Structures are given as structure tokens and as C-alpha cells.
Amino acid sequence: MAIQRTFSIIKPDATKRNLTGAIVAKFEAAGLRVVASKRLHLTKAQAGVFYGVHAARPFYDELCTYMASEPIVAQVLEGEDAIAKNREVMGATDPAEAAPGTIRAEFALSKGENSVHGSDAPETAAEEIAYFFSGLELVG
């Protein structure tokens, strides 16, 4: 397996409940390394640009409002097969369907407030990383 990078967000429901460290610990325990991280508070417009791929979906406005409701932690994770590993550690989008021990099974409040976001493909990871980080901020 090749070393790759992926993008991750610790979402507002998790930062509000002070779960950032517990979530990062799960990524690190799975062999992923944080190579960039920043805490920020998105505006609804910034969230809208980031989630633009979902603009036509009925949940888009609610998603953007939620993502602007509290700070987030944007991060870049690195490791062997990092995209798949991150998605495995996160668990299914719906916490009721997430495997025991995954982030969403342990921390998510609902399908909408599911504590984390992760890239789903190398192309998506590259776009999402570039939205939040300059090359100088990636210090792996």
C-alpha cells in the first residue's frame, strides 16, 4: 500500500462537546498521522462553497447552517491507504449503522450531526485539502 493523504473535518457537534482530542486519538491509533490541523469557524457561505457538490440536495441549506454553527477542526491525515483507513475509522454516516468502536458509533448524535467528515477519493482529498491548506501548512 502507498502512503497517501486525506482530508478530515471534526464537525461542530464534536468540537462543541470537546471531543477533538478523543477523535484525533482514534485516527492516530489506526496508524494515521496528522500532518496539518487548524481550528476555525466557517461562515455559512464558506461551508456552502465547500459542500457545493450537494447544492441541489434538500439537506444542503441545513448542512451549511450546521457547519457554520460552531468551530470545526480541519486536518490532513497521512498514512498507508489513508482515505480508506479514515473512512473505516469514521464508520457509516448514520451512527445507527456504524460499526462498534468507530468515531460515529461512539460520538455522533445523529445522521446529520455525525461528528466527522472524510474525503471519499484521491481527487476529492486533493480538492478538499487545497480549500483549507496551503502547501506550506502540510508538514508531514
Side-chain angles (χ1 to χ4, degrees):
M1 293 273 143
I3 299 294
Q4 66 181 182
R5 289 182 173 168
T6 190
F7 180 72
S8 169
I9 294 176
I10 301 175
K11 293 182 174 182
D13 67 279
T15 62
K16 182 178 183 175
R17 293 178 291 139
N18 215 22
L19 296 173
T20 301
I23 290 171
V24 170
K26 284 198 165 283
F27 289 132
E28 291 179 335
L32 296 169
R33 187 165 62 119
V34 178
V35 297
S37 180
K38 62 172 82 169
R39 183 179 179 95
L40 57 150
H41 200 146
L42 296 176
T43 65
K44 188 173 178 181
Q46 290 167 327
V49 171
F50 181 76
Y51 284 108
V53 67
H54 299 303
R57 296 195 167 178
F59 61 82
Y60 175 73
D61 188 64
E62 183 179 348
L63 173 63
C64 294
T65 299
Y66 160 65
M67 290 300 292
S69 67
E70 297 282 339
I72 64 159
V73 175
Q75 53 191 1
V76 179
L77 306 174
E78 181 180 81
E80 285 192 28
D81 203 18
I83 294 168
K85 177 60 70 177
N86 179 32
R87 296 186 71 73
E88 177 185 323
V89 173
M90 288 190 308
T93 302
D94 185 343
E97 299 173 6
T102 61
I103 292 168
R104 289 177 173 148
E106 289 190 21
F107 303 124
L109 299 174
S110 66
K111 188 174 180 179
E113 292 181 307
N114 61 17
S115 299
V116 286
H117 162 89
S119 300
D120 61 2
E123 301 78 22
T124 309
E127 291 172 16
E128 292 178 340
I129 289 168
Y131 186 77
F132 284 96
F133 295 97
S134 74
L136 293 174
E137 294 174 297
L138 305 175
V139 291

